[in-house]
Amino acid sequence: MNENKYPDLLALVKARKSVRAFAPAKVERAKLEYMLEAARLAPSAVNFQPWCFVVVREAEQLKALYECYPREWFAAAPACIVVCGNHEASWKRASDGKDFCDVDVAIATEHLALAAVEQGLGTCWVCNFDVARCREVLNLPPSWEPVVLLPVGYPADTTETERKRKPFNDVVKWERF
């Protein structure tokens, strides 16, 4: 018998969306730790794991982080995980020197986002922020780059809406382009 021992991943992926309105409730530390454990276990090129997750929950620190991305909806998030990458520690492909740090960080960030949905939380990837200011706010060492701001909280609106995606056959090519 070949029974699937894992929950329905596709349903979880379909439930993940960018949340830009958060309820004022605090996020429990246990739920954040669950998300962070999922990210810690993410795969990375050659298993170098060139990431670090800075959890920001204190009001004063959140306010300082808000200066990096001054949007009202962002300021309303009760927590933010800053996903950082270390380009000095990441794997580079020999044939062309491609640095896989950003790829590895993206995989870990999506693990965070999916784990958040599973915990009843919402997130939104934010990549358009003041990196220099963020580095300063978090007192990051020079080798660490803040790559993603991931606000985390309970969604204020739990209405499910279908997201627009390209049709399956537009993005999947069998054998050849």
Side-chain angles (χ1 to χ4, degrees):
M1 181 159 51
N2 186 15
E3 286 187 34
N4 187 353
K5 64 179 181 176
Y6 302 104
D8 184 355
L9 177 62
L10 196 53
L12 183 64
V13 170
K14 287 179 180 179
R16 195 221 54 84
K17 63 182 178 180
S18 295
V19 173
R20 292 183 181 88
F22 296 98
K26 295 279 185 198
V27 178
E28 299 88 341
R29 183 180 176 113
K31 289 188 177 189
L32 290 168
E33 287 177 355
Y34 181 89
M35 292 171 57
L36 293 159
E37 181 64 2
R40 185 184 73 81
L41 296 172
S44 64
V46 194
N47 198 30
F48 281 9
Q49 305 168 50
W51 50 56
C52 177
F53 311 98
V54 182
V55 183
V56 180
R57 298 187 310 158
E58 299 300 324
E60 203 61 33
Q61 194 78 347
L62 285 167
K63 185 178 177 184
L65 205 54
Y66 172 66
E67 295 172 14
C68 304
Y69 186 71
R71 306 294 190 282
E72 291 302 317
W73 70 266
F74 179 72
C80 185
I81 299 172
V82 182
V83 187
C84 302
N86 185 336
H87 292 276
E88 293 175 9
S90 59
W91 181 74
K92 281 77 170 169
R93 185 168 48 206
S95 65
D96 62 358
K98 179 176 177 53
D99 181 350
F100 275 77
C101 185
D102 290 342
V103 174
D104 294 341
V105 166
I107 295 167
T109 302
E110 188 59 8
H111 275 54
L112 284 167
L114 290 172
V117 172
E118 187 183 32
Q119 296 296 300
L121 300 167
T123 63
C124 181
W125 286 54
V126 175
C127 299
N128 181 24
F129 62 94
D130 185 336
V131 172
R133 178 68 182 128
C134 185
R135 186 185 300 277
E136 182 181 311
V137 166
L138 300 176
N139 195 31
L140 293 175
S143 60
W144 288 97
E145 173 195 3
V147 180
V148 178
L149 301 180
L150 195 72
V152 181
Y154 288 95
D157 179 9
T158 57
T159 307
E160 292 197 25
T161 56
E162 189 162 337
R163 295 166 304 183
K164 292 182 182 178
R165 292 292 184 259
K166 292 180 180 179
F168 184 86
N169 288 327
D170 286 359
V171 298
V172 175
K173 307 300 179 197
W174 297 97
E175 310 302 332
R176 294 175 179 247
F177 202 88

